[in-house]
Amino acid sequence: MTPQASGRRERKKAATRTALADAASRLFLERGYDGVTVAEVADEADMAVATLFAHFPAGKEALIFDDGIERRETLAAAITERPAGTSALDALEAYLARRGAFDESPSPEGQQRRDLIISTPALRAHARSLWMGCESILTELLAQESGRDPQDVSLRLLARYVLELPDLIGADHNSRKSLETAFDHLRRGWPDL
């Protein structure tokens, strides 16, 4: 296969994923997540249900979220590419403050998506599973930062605490203030990070 054909194939896959995700988003925002079937999403995107599952094998919840790769990459970059003099915990707090439930200036569509996710148990559970999928990489990065063994239970605890915050306090009335409070407590427990 030529590089050109491979590039075209990847562009077509990306366009199909985007069309399906956009159709799902429109329908979910109009009728609520539970009011829409996978078949209706496929129909709205003018595609077969089999095509939807080929591109989103994790099912209906995955239509709202990325596959987790971007999340893991940006989480890692928040630590590895942080400004000099910034602690790992400060970098993690700043990273979370720009995302989803903690973003103080979301676009109107971003606010609708956030409200949909927060109010839909299946979507909240899927979001939490995506965050938990970052636990190993975050623990490893914290180990590198602290010079400790990645099996150190305190580092695994810290990674888990950080990754639980979106689900734990993301729906709070003032989620940004709750985020600040949470990180104040984490800094007391892990002052070297």
Side-chain angles (χ1 to χ4, degrees):
M1 181 181 300
T2 68
Q4 190 176 40
S6 176
R8 185 175 24 251
R9 174 190 269 165
E10 292 308 311
R11 285 192 305 275
K12 283 184 75 173
K13 282 183 184 179
T16 299
R17 284 184 61 84
T18 298
L20 287 163
D22 288 349
S25 186
R26 270 191 314 277
L27 290 173
F28 294 161
L29 292 174
E30 286 173 13
R31 300 191 341 232
Y33 175 80
D34 293 323
V36 178
T37 67
V38 171
E40 289 171 322
V41 172
D43 188 52
E44 176 79 7
D46 196 25
M47 295 184 198
V49 172
T51 301
L52 184 146
F53 281 111
H55 289 274
F56 294 93
K60 189 173 156 183
E61 294 88 355
L63 288 160
I64 289 291
F65 300 97
D66 61 41
D67 59 7
I69 294 171
E70 178 269 344
R71 189 178 307 247
R72 288 189 298 277
E73 289 173 351
T74 58
L75 179 67
I79 293 177
T80 61
E81 299 172 13
R82 70 185 189 275
T86 303
S87 73
L89 286 175
D90 287 347
L92 287 168
E93 181 180 3
Y95 167 76
L96 287 174
R98 295 186 304 268
R99 294 195 61 108
F102 304 111
D103 181 1
E104 291 186 312
S105 305
S107 67
E109 183 181 328
Q111 181 66 49
Q112 288 179 315
R113 280 176 53 93
R114 176 167 65 189
D115 293 346
L116 177 68
I117 291 165
I118 287 172
S119 67
T120 308
L123 293 177
R124 276 187 74 169
H126 190 75
R128 183 179 179 278
S129 74
L130 290 173
W131 283 115
M132 291 301 101
C134 300
E135 185 176 348
S136 294
I137 190 167
L138 182 54
T139 301
E140 184 68 39
L141 290 166
L142 293 170
Q144 290 170 13
E145 288 299 313
S146 64
R148 294 188 232 168
D149 185 315
Q151 296 306 310
D152 181 330
V153 71
S154 69
L155 295 178
R156 292 179 12 232
L157 285 169
L158 176 57
R160 176 66 63 95
Y161 290 153
V162 168
L163 297 172
E164 288 283 3
L165 291 174
D167 186 56
L168 184 65
I169 61 174
D172 286 4
H173 174 67
N174 188 344
S175 61
R176 180 65 75 88
K177 180 66 176 154
S178 295
L179 183 68
E180 291 169 10
T181 299
F183 271 92
D184 286 345
H185 287 285
L186 294 175
R187 284 185 194 88
R188 283 187 218 126
W190 289 271
D192 60 328
L193 285 167

